[in-house]
């Protein structure tokens, strides 16, 4: 080869090589729209695509039929605030104080400057929004300034827009928060929120119990709004108050509006439903639509919301360019403080499917929950046994969008994108820590089909759903083989001391090591 020809071929090679690398980089980063639909208190067995026969969820079933349905899909905790904290930050909630169920006047649980799934996607050019239940506190160390600026909030940790139920529907106040303000607040009728009775004659669920449209069974006996007494006290803000019956419609209305406005850029929508959290007050048109009472009717309402969102994506031609993820924030509970007939009307329905425990518990029923991914044309349809968790969405979506995770961010979030996209040779997690609420509670560790339970908290042991544990003298550690005993009935720790030892050491290291990634 002559020198000029050699130089020419070298250039040709370099051109091909670099342009090839270029295409690889471009095709490696995919930026579909992402819609995460998180249900509240929805159990493994609560959907017809997960085996429920007493309630029908056609829209969610369609999502599952068109995508991947996970049989080992988890949220990281068995209550709301820690799961949501972990989903957003990619960090286990037990690592940080103040991540247990947030009270009405909780300050922001996630500090500004913390990297979140939303801030990571913003870096990749996404528009980001959270619409629905927040329950991660608002405001600085003094808590929310309800009549002023609610800052910090979602906008300080990566969301361009928020439209919120600030705490839970059973915690005061029953108002919407749009960005930094209570929506429709008349400052001549200021909103006051506290944990003590504001005046001796303030009507409560205790003093005016006979006026309630839904009676309470435990807790929930403070300020009355919409005929329902709540956790905590408040006065004022009447023009801003919502009707429980209208929440689902409002989440859908605001989401459709926001998707329409953002259809031309990649967007990330966290659709955070309040269903089926107590008080379960579905819209009048859903009442009586299931044989399970208001708990089942709320599942029907949730399913309707999913249908409206997927219809919107279809209408705007976004279905083949949108990854939809459906999940829950913790396992199921029947009586969570109101007499809504959930127990009486439950019949043969199994809210946690084959699993034991539920909300508040580190048994599988507490965190193993429905998890579905759909991206038409990209994700094959099928059922996956890979272990994936809501805590992994941050690392996985960052990887998909081509964003490098900073070493100190999302320290417990694993990139399980291959599994979430239903790729053949993908493997999910090889271990997962489960927790109940906040710090210092109980833990679960799943490794392959082994499940280790570690019981540290007496109080959590006595929570209703774990009654079988509370009544026996629970030793700190128990071991189960989920392949033969999914219900965690048979403690096999004595038969497998070497497995127990290995898992105890692994769990201790994961808890004390400060990070798992
Ligand atoms: C509990 C409430 C329960 C529910 C839960 C939080 C009582 C007796 N129980 O303290 O009703 O609100 O907190 O649920 O008040 S979560 O899904 O938001 O974590
Ligand atoms: Ca919840």
């Amino acid at each position: 080869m002559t020198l000029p020809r050699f130089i020419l071929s070298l250039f040709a090679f370099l051109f091909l090589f670099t342009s090839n690398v270029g295409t690889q980089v471009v095709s490696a980063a995919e930026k579909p729209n992402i819609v995460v639909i998180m249900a509240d208190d929805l159990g493994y067995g609560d959907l017809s695509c997960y085996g429920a026969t007493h309630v029908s969820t056609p829209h969610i079933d369609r999502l599952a039929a068109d995508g991947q349905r996970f049989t080992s899909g988890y949220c990281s905790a068995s209550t709301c605030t820690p799961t949501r904290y972990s989903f957003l930050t990619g960090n286990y909630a037990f690592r940080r104080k103040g991540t247990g169920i947030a009270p009405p006047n909780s300050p922001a649980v996630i500090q500004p400057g913390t990297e979140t799934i939303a801030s990571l996607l913003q870096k990749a050019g996404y528009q980001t929004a959270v619409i629905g239940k927040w329950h991660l506190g608002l405001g600085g160390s003094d808590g929310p300034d309800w009549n002023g600026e609610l800052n910090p909030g979602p906008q300080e940790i990566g969301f361009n827009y928020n439209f919120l139920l600030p705490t839970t529907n059973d915690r005061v106040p029953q108002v919407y928060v749009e960005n930094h303000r209570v929506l429709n607040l008349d400052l001549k009728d200021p909103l006051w929120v506290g944990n003590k009775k504001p005046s001796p004659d303030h009507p409560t669920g205790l003093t005016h119990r006979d006026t309630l449209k839904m009676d309470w069974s435990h807790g929930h006996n403070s300020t009355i709004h919409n005929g329902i007494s709540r956790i905590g006290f408040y006065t004022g803000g009447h023009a801003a108050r919502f009707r429980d019956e209208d929440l689902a419609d409002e989440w859908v209305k605001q989401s459709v509006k926001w998707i329409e406005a953002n259809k031309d850029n990649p967007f990330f929508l966290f659709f955070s439903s309040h269903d089926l959290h107590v008080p379960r007050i579905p819209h009048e048109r859903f009442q009586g639509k299931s044989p399970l009472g208001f708990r089942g009717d709320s599942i029907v309402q949730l399913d309707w919301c999913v249908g409206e969102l997927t219809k919107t994506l279809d209408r705007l031609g976004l279905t083949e360019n949108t990854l939809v993820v459906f999940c829950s924030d913790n396992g199921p509970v029947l009586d969570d403080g109101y007499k809504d007939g959930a127990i009486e009307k439950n019949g043969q329905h199994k809210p946690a499917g084959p699993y034991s425990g539920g909300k508040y518990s580190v048994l599988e029923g507490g965190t193993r929950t429905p998890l579905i991914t759909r991206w038409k044309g990209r994700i094959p349809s099928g059922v996956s046994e890979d272990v994936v968790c809501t805590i992994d969405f941050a690392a996985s979506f960052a990887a998909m969008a081509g964003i490098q995770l900073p070493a100190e961010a999302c320290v417990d979030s694993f990139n399980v994108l291959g599994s979430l996209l239903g790729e053949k040779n993908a493997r999910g997690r090889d271990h997962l820590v489960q927790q109940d609420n906040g710090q210092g509670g109980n833990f679960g560790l799943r490794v392959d089909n082994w499940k280790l339970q570690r019981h540290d908290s007496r109080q959590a042991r006595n929570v209703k759903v774990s009654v079988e544990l509370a009544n026996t003298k629970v030793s700190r550690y128990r071991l189960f083989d989920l392949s033969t005993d999914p219900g965690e009935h048979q403690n096999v720790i004595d038969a497998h001391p070497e497995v127990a030892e290995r898992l105890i050491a692994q769990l201790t290291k994961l808890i004390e090591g400060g990070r798992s990634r």
Side-chain angles (χ1 to χ4, degrees):
M1 203 189 287
T2 61
L3 194 64
R5 272 192 71 185
F6 170 75
I7 290 173
L8 217 71
S9 354
L10 187 70
F11 270 124
F13 170 75
L14 280 177
F15 173 75
L16 272 178
F17 178 77
T18 46
S19 59
N20 206 10
V21 169
T23 21
Q24 272 177 16
V25 169
V26 171
S27 66
E30 294 179 279
K31 296 184 185 177
N33 309 308
I34 303 169
V35 178
V36 173
I37 304 169
M38 187 176 272
D40 199 341
D41 298 1
L42 180 80
Y44 189 90
D46 275 328
L47 302 173
S48 33
C49 55
Y50 277 86
T53 52
H54 293 76
V55 62
S56 166
T57 51
H59 297 106
I60 303 172
D61 296 0
R62 172 116 306 273
L63 213 59
D66 290 348
Q68 291 286 309
R69 181 173 70 80
F70 290 84
T71 57
S72 282
Y74 289 84
C75 44
S76 48
S78 58
T79 57
C80 171
T81 303
T83 279
R84 287 154 198 269
Y85 171 84
S86 298
F87 155 60
L88 291 179
T89 64
N91 301 324
Y92 284 134
F94 61 75
R95 302 207 187 285
R96 220 183 134 250
K97 268 203 188 119
T99 53
I101 298 171
N105 272 331
S106 167
V109 173
I110 304 174
Q111 294 314 305
T114 309
E115 204 76 75
T116 67
I117 187 168
S119 65
L120 288 163
L121 288 171
Q122 263 184 345
K123 285 185 193 161
Y126 278 73
Q127 285 294 312
T128 55
V130 47
I131 295 176
K133 171 171 169 171
W134 181 239
H135 208 190
L136 283 166
L138 291 167
S141 51
D142 294 341
D145 174 7
W146 294 107
N147 300 292
E149 174 112 352
L150 293 162
N151 188 340
Q155 291 194 312
E156 283 60 51
I157 52 167
F159 287 100
N160 296 102
Y161 177 73
N162 62 258
F163 188 97
L164 310 174
L165 163 65
T167 58
T168 59
N169 43 333
D170 59 347
R171 284 174 177 71
V172 297
Q174 277 60 50
V175 296
Y176 296 119
V177 169
E178 186 179 37
N179 294 329
H180 288 129
R181 297 268 167 191
V182 170
L183 187 69
N184 297 329
L185 184 67
D186 176 0
L187 287 177
K188 290 198 282 303
D189 179 29
L191 186 56
W192 172 88
V193 176
N195 52 15
K196 279 203 295 274
K197 219 171 149 146
S199 60
D201 60 349
H202 181 80
T204 68
L206 286 172
T207 61
H208 289 65
R209 197 165 184 175
D210 55 343
T211 69
L212 301 175
K213 75 175 174 194
M214 181 186 278
D215 197 8
W216 51 272
S217 56
H218 50 278
H220 303 104
N221 53 23
S222 304
T223 292
I224 301 170
H225 168 69
N226 193 21
I228 301 155
S229 49
R230 319 273 170 162
I231 299 174
F233 299 91
Y234 72 123
T235 57
H238 288 88
R241 298 188 187 193
F242 59 66
R243 236 172 47 108
D244 303 74
E245 289 85 342
D246 299 327
L247 285 172
D249 282 341
E250 195 65 31
W251 308 144
V252 167
K253 185 175 119 195
Q254 297 301 334
S255 297
V256 170
K257 195 164 94 182
W258 188 80
I259 291 174
E260 281 171 349
N262 288 281
K263 64 179 170 32
D264 297 327
N265 20 31
F267 61 78
F268 166 60
L269 170 63
F270 172 26
F271 182 92
S272 182
S273 173
H274 70 296
D275 282 319
L276 20 160
H277 198 281
V278 297
R280 301 175 186 120
I281 309 284
H283 190 269
E284 286 83 351
R285 71 185 185 281
F286 295 113
Q287 296 183 9
K289 284 292 181 297
S290 84
L292 301 178
F294 278 3
R295 184 172 186 279
D297 300 346
S298 298
I299 299 177
V300 175
Q301 175 168 279
L302 169 72
D303 185 63
W304 172 82
C305 293
V306 174
E308 291 305 298
L309 293 175
T310 52
K311 264 185 232 161
T312 303
L313 296 175
D314 285 345
R315 173 169 60 81
L316 299 174
L318 298 173
T319 299
E320 305 221 329
N321 188 29
T322 303
L323 167 61
V324 180
V325 181
F326 180 87
C327 58
S328 178
D329 72 338
N330 53 248
V333 55
L334 293 181
D335 180 346
D336 205 16
Y338 291 97
K339 296 182 187 167
D340 60 8
I343 292 181
E344 297 78 357
K345 295 188 174 165
N346 188 60
Q348 297 303 306
H349 177 63
K350 289 200 170 79
Y355 303 112
S356 298
K359 186 171 180 176
Y360 312 112
S361 154
V362 293
L363 277 71
E364 289 292 290
T367 53
R368 201 193 291 209
T369 36
L371 203 152
I372 297 164
T373 55
R374 186 202 71 173
W375 176 359
K376 267 225 171 129
R378 179 71 171 83
I379 297 184
S381 71
V383 176
S384 173
E385 291 180 1
D386 293 356
V387 176
V388 295
C389 178
T390 51
I391 200 171
D392 299 322
F393 295 166
S396 305
F397 299 163
M400 178 168 68
I403 294 295
Q404 188 95 36
L405 275 190
E408 293 317 311
C410 309
V411 298
D412 300 300
S413 185
F414 284 86
N415 177 1
V416 293
L417 184 64
S419 297
L420 295 173
L421 297 183
E423 284 167 8
K424 266 214 188 85
N425 298 320
R427 293 198 52 210
R429 290 179 151 262
D430 60 15
H431 71 275
L432 175 72
V433 179
Q434 302 151 291
Q435 68 163 98
D436 46 17
N437 185 35
Q439 257 196 338
N442 302 311
F443 294 98
L445 173 66
R446 169 142 181 220
V447 177
D448 302 322
N449 272 317
W450 293 112
K451 167 75 180 274
L452 181 77
Q453 295 172 4
R454 168 171 144 177
H455 299 276
D456 291 2
S457 149
R458 263 238 137 255
Q459 188 209 342
R461 267 187 241 170
N462 287 324
V463 161
K464 254 199 183 147
V465 280
S466 309
V467 89
E468 70 269 35
L469 294 183
N471 291 340
T472 51
K473 246 192 126 214
V474 183
S475 50
R476 189 175 188 210
Y477 291 105
R478 309 177 103 207
L479 183 72
F480 301 87
D481 179 356
L482 296 175
S483 66
T484 54
D485 179 25
E488 290 160 277
H489 299 300
Q490 193 69 39
N491 180 7
V492 294
I493 198 158
D494 294 334
H496 298 279
E498 71 303 334
V499 177
E501 208 176 300
R502 172 163 61 86
L503 265 61
I504 289 169
Q506 187 174 357
L507 179 60
T508 309
K509 196 168 159 222
L510 284 163
I511 294 171
E512 289 170 6
R515 61 184 297 145
S516 54
R517 181 168 67 81

